[in-house]
Amino acid sequence: MSKNKRVTSYDVAREAGVSQSAVSRVFRPGVSVSEKTREKVLKTADRLGYRPNAIARMLINQSSGMIAVIVSSRANLNFPDVLSLLNKQIALHNKRVLLFTLDEAEQLDGVIEQILTYQVDGVVALTAHFEVESVKQFAQHNIPVVLYNREVPDHSVSSVCCNHDQGLKMLVDLLVRHHHRRYLIVAGPQDSDVATARLTGAQKALLQHGIDNVPVVRGDYSYESGQQALHSHLQNAMAPTAVICANDAMAIGVIDEAREKQQLRVPEDLSVVGFDGISASAWYSYRLTTVSQPTSYMTKAAVDTLVNLIENPHNPPESRYWPGTLIEGNSVATARSEDE
Amino acid sequence: MSKNKRVTSYDVAREAGVSQSAVSRVFRPGVSVSEKTREKVLKTADRLGYRPNAIARMLINQSSGMIAVIVSSRANLNFPDVLSLLNKQIALHNKRVLLFTLDEAEQLDGVIEQILTYQVDGVVALTAHFEVESVKQFAQHNIPVVLYNREVPDHSVSSVCCNHDQGLKMLVDLLVRHHHRRYLIVAGPQDSDVATARLTGAQKALLQHGIDNVPVVRGDYSYESGQQALHSHLQNAMAPTAVICANDAMAIGVIDEAREKQQLRVPEDLSVVGFDGISASAWYSYRLTTVSQPTSYMTKAAVDTLVNLIENPHNPPESRYWPGTLIEGNSVATARSEDE
DNA sequence: CATAATAATGACTTCGAATGCAATGTTAAA
DNA sequence: TTTAACATTGCATTCGAAGTCATTATTATG
């Protein structure tokens, strides 16, 4: 029973009557080995069930071939899609994803500590809680970092972002074309950079049309918080004619709250727009007007940027932006004149 | 600039005037070191920014501390929830998740090969494509495997499952109590074991009420395939009064198709039930009657089972079942008498 | 104060693959 | 046939932490 012992390159070498170096060379592409030895080694390796030990390889190569991916559990984005696409891209570069999830900001230090011990080749951060300080820790250890959908003002960290400003401008312009003047913004959580970017993006776009002092209610990106936001706003304010939401889930919450609890028709009485282009936004019951993020391009860009930095450590950080795509559903209608 | 060189235990030892062994011992809990050396080492370690190298540790410990998690991209289940919960449980045992995604069954061999080289401590498989043969490969290398929501008939592999039969019985019993006699089953893909389990579960439960030969349409677990299923069935068959769907996404697709395209009211004209209890099933527009899986218990059970097998390699495989919880929404109504 | 018992320490080896270097073997060219 | 050029090969070392073992320092006991 060879069951309890792993098969090493030495075992194969002994059985095949060659040196351990020879075995190693057979399993390393692009090294010169004679056809005879290669065959001998491959045959015995197969017979013994030998597989190169990735751990030992990591140690000698000074590179783990692993990418740390950090996700907040309370993620705004299309978590499953993004993660799975990222993983696919990373696999294309023959690297693996080591996954870290984050509940609270306070855990962050522990997670960074962990990541550093694992000698990962790079880090992709899909999380709002990520101060520049934290990134510096990775920089000190020469570990490149790419932020996904989050940018640092001084561009000292590479990032791949959807252009929130441009996306919100498209949405706002559309609403203004439909003669809306009374708005409500349902923003994301205070500590999320994406939320801030989308909020200021909306405000800037509205201001361009002379619309100012728009009320803001904060949610936490969840469906329930969208419902709650509309509900609490209507308690002590006039109903808006259009609601701009920081993401699709909250927008859907707003639509359901409006229809079921407030007896408002969407879009006839209330127009609602979201952001992200999650699959549920296209469902017949909602047909949400939203801006979809080009997730597959963005994940590819993120991984390409990261791999580039891994291979050229002295390259400067790079920020790449992607425009969103306006998806016109059926959640926006022309404001009724009596509301003007 | 210590930037280009990693700090090793030797560096710390030299600086602190102790041996490398001493440094190692300070970072390994439960080993005897004098307070004096500990302090000296910790101080210089901190100054130099030393962190134990997890890779070297893995090699000498003969254990990577990593768990491979395999997910199908086309997953039926609550992918984000399950993955994030799994990760949390695994982190509690001080291990990490190495992520592998699977597109097609053909990739499987390559992925298994990969996993074996990484010397993972165990495997959690969240995927339909996973033949017993594949599991045997892990068994040969003494790597324990736990299947999530998939069981092997002979119980030779550990698994954690939601009890599909029982869940479907609850749903069918509910529908029968509402006097439904004409059914449609929207099943999952042919090659998914969960799909098969749910289909036969539904058929068994219906048979107990003497209902036989229920038409079956297959979908791929997506919203669109739910729409498509209802649409194509109504082309050449009498409308059913109740539709039993293999998962919530398809059930929601059926509801939207019925309401928007077929001018059927749900639940008045058509009752629909799903399975999984995804968050969208509770949204006001749907209020789907479904069976929710106890995801947090199941993920905990999966990890506990796996860790137990890692620590006691000679334990027999263990299968654990969890009952689902019936969630009564508003998608089931009493069958109208003219339909009887 | 001597001796036993225990704690702390360092030298050295281990894990498994990769590689620089030197020593072969092979083929080509003169 | 001789020499040069090149392809294979194995030896020995490396990566960084952990643990064995023997040795030394410290404390406890008679």
Side-chain angles (χ1 to χ4, degrees), chain A residues 125-185:
Chain A
L126 306 181
T127 169
H129 314 289
F130 214 78
E131 297 307 313
V132 183
E133 284 309 309
S134 317
V135 180
K136 276 200 191 133
Q137 289 206 50
F138 289 117
Q140 272 167 20
H141 292 260
N142 294 320
I143 299 176
V145 176
V146 171
L147 303 178
Y148 189 92
N149 252 348
R150 181 187 182 300
E151 65 178 314
V152 200
D154 63 359
H155 294 274
S156 59
V157 186
S158 294
S159 60
V160 171
C161 292
C162 180
N163 191 332
H164 305 296
D165 278 1
Q166 178 241 30
L168 276 146
K169 181 153 172 43
M170 291 193 291
L171 291 167
V172 166
D173 287 356
L174 178 75
L175 290 169
V176 169
R177 276 203 304 280
H178 282 85
H179 307 297
H180 289 279
R181 304 289 306 169
R182 236 173 32 248
Y183 290 89
L184 166 65
I185 297 178

Side-chain angles (χ1 to χ4, degrees), chain B residues 90-106:
Chain B
I90 288 171
L92 283 182
H93 288 93
N94 212 22
K95 298 187 185 294
R96 307 288 141 212
V97 168
L98 199 60
L99 188 65
F100 294 85
T101 52
L102 219 56
D103 278 314
E104 308 289 334
E106 35 189 334

Side-chain angles (χ1 to χ4, degrees), chain A residues 304-318:
Chain A
D304 288 348
T305 304
L306 187 63
V307 169
N308 188 28
L309 281 171
I310 292 170
E311 284 164 4
N312 311 293
H314 296 296
N315 278 14
E318 185 183 357

Side-chain angles (χ1 to χ4, degrees), chain B residues 249-268:
Chain B
M250 290 196 294
I252 290 172
V254 166
I255 292 177
D256 276 355
E257 173 75 17
R259 286 180 178 158
E260 300 272 329
K261 293 287 175 66
Q262 309 292 341
Q263 319 297 341
L264 293 169
R265 289 167 302 158
V266 176
E268 294 83 352

